[in-house]
Amino acid sequence: MTDKSKTKSKFRTTIVSSVIKQIVEVKKKKDFDLILVQGAGAYPHFLTTKYRINDGFVGPKSATGFVHIKNELFKLNNFLWDECIGAGLNVCTVQPSAVIFTENGKIKSFDTRLIDSLIAMEIVPVLMGDDSIDIKKGIAVLSGDQIVAYLGHKYRADTILYVTDVDGVFDKNPKIYKDAKLIEVINKKNFRSVINSMETYSKFDVSGEMKGKLLAIVNDLSNFKVQIVSGLKPGYVKRAILGDRVGTLVVL
């Protein structure tokens, strides 16, 4: 949705619009329930680092950071909401920190009744990476990856799809190395070597970039079909939802 390599960047309207339109096209052909979880975006990641949210609530500066991050998250979410409505996709935001409490940064309780009601009305729930109220630390970072894992188990997801700005998982960073090769399948045989070879480059991306996503998948989403695809390539999201092999398939 934004470029997380920069501390503050614009909403990628054209790209997000394309992804939403692909979802709408598939839903006309195939009946399925859908939950969207958006990333936090570039600026909230920068603010999370600036205000040291990972340290928990330590005083007025933490409160200021918490409030400013919420404001930026809502701005980004409103952009997404507008694109969905414009494309004819009925969505409703479920603010994670209103229904989730964490303990030391891990989900402790999650009231999913609102999500249940929205799905029953054929409205797509939209959640996001967020900062939570934490029963031990006061506040904490609540990543979208954690939310995806929880919901995947709760609703027994058939497919979990990560939409990124690269074609999938590579043997090295494709944004830096032109000879990087796509890893089409990650399984029990190769996942350790893949993860051990990966590095993180942005000090502001508190979710750990692609390595963080893979670790979350390995730790929390084994036995699920997980696919990582590009949102920049026309039609890739549509193809992935319909079951085509594009991007990287993670099966553990």
Side-chain angles (χ1 to χ4, degrees):
M1 292 175 62
T2 65
D3 183 353
K4 287 201 290 187
S5 67
K6 301 176 181 178
T7 57
K8 194 167 187 177
S9 59
K10 294 181 180 180
F11 181 73
R12 291 170 158 174
T13 304
T14 302
I15 296 168
V16 174
S17 176
S18 171
V19 171
I20 297 302
K21 287 176 181 177
Q22 289 175 66
I23 293 172
V24 171
E25 288 175 10
V26 178
K27 284 187 75 66
K28 290 177 180 178
K29 299 178 179 181
K30 180 180 179 181
D31 182 30
F32 63 98
D33 293 326
L34 174 69
I35 299 174
L36 294 177
V37 180
Q38 70 176 71
Y43 198 43
H45 278 270
F46 168 72
L47 292 175
T48 296
T49 302
K50 177 182 177 180
Y51 289 101
R52 300 172 60 182
I53 300 300
N54 272 321
D55 292 342
F57 184 83
V58 293
K61 186 176 180 179
S62 301
T64 299
F66 187 81
V67 170
H68 281 269
I69 290 165
K70 292 288 184 201
N71 184 37
E72 292 298 325
L73 289 171
F74 291 147
K75 288 178 183 177
L76 186 62
N77 179 253
N78 282 334
F79 282 128
L80 176 61
W81 205 332
D82 286 343
E83 290 301 317
C84 289
I85 290 174
L89 184 66
N90 290 331
V91 301
C92 181
T93 296
V94 178
Q95 182 189 340
S97 56
V99 295
I100 297 173
F101 284 88
T102 56
E103 182 175 3
N104 289 321
K106 302 296 182 183
I107 294 175
K108 178 68 174 178
S109 64
F110 192 154
D111 185 348
T112 59
R113 288 176 294 176
L114 176 54
I115 295 173
D116 296 339
S117 297
L118 292 172
I119 291 173
M121 293 186 288
E122 299 186 353
I123 298 173
V124 176
V126 179
L127 295 89
M128 69 196 81
D130 200 356
D131 289 337
S132 63
I133 300 298
D134 192 279
I135 62 176
K136 293 289 188 181
K137 299 168 62 177
I139 58 177
V141 174
L142 175 59
S143 72
D145 296 332
Q146 263 204 84
I147 295 169
V148 168
Y150 188 99
L151 295 176
H153 286 278
K154 167 72 177 178
Y155 294 101
R156 300 179 181 179
D158 294 323
T159 302
I160 295 172
L161 186 63
Y162 285 87
V163 181
T164 74
D165 61 353
V166 291
D167 287 351
V169 180
F170 288 77
D171 61 348
K172 48 190 170 182
N173 192 328
K175 297 179 181 178
I176 298 175
Y177 301 101
K178 293 182 179 181
D179 62 341
K181 296 180 180 179
L182 178 69
I183 302 171
E184 295 185 359
V185 179
I186 297 176
N187 52 33
K188 292 180 180 179
K189 293 181 179 180
N190 68 352
F191 80 88
R192 289 190 185 279
S193 62
V194 171
I195 288 176
N196 289 338
S197 68
M198 299 181 80
E199 299 178 1
T200 55
Y201 294 88
S202 173
K203 65 181 180 179
F204 299 121
D205 186 350
V206 295
S207 62
E209 298 178 325
M210 185 65 78
K211 185 173 184 177
K213 283 184 171 37
L214 270 184
L215 286 170
I217 293 168
V218 169
N219 293 330
D220 302 320
L221 290 171
S222 58
N223 301 318
F224 283 87
K225 177 188 174 184
V226 180
Q227 207 161 342
I228 302 171
V229 302
S230 172
L232 307 184
K233 294 290 183 68
Y236 270 40
V237 171
K238 179 180 178 180
R239 289 176 58 190
I241 298 174
L242 290 173
D244 288 357
R245 177 71 67 81
V246 291
T248 298
L249 178 65
V250 186
V251 183
L252 299 168

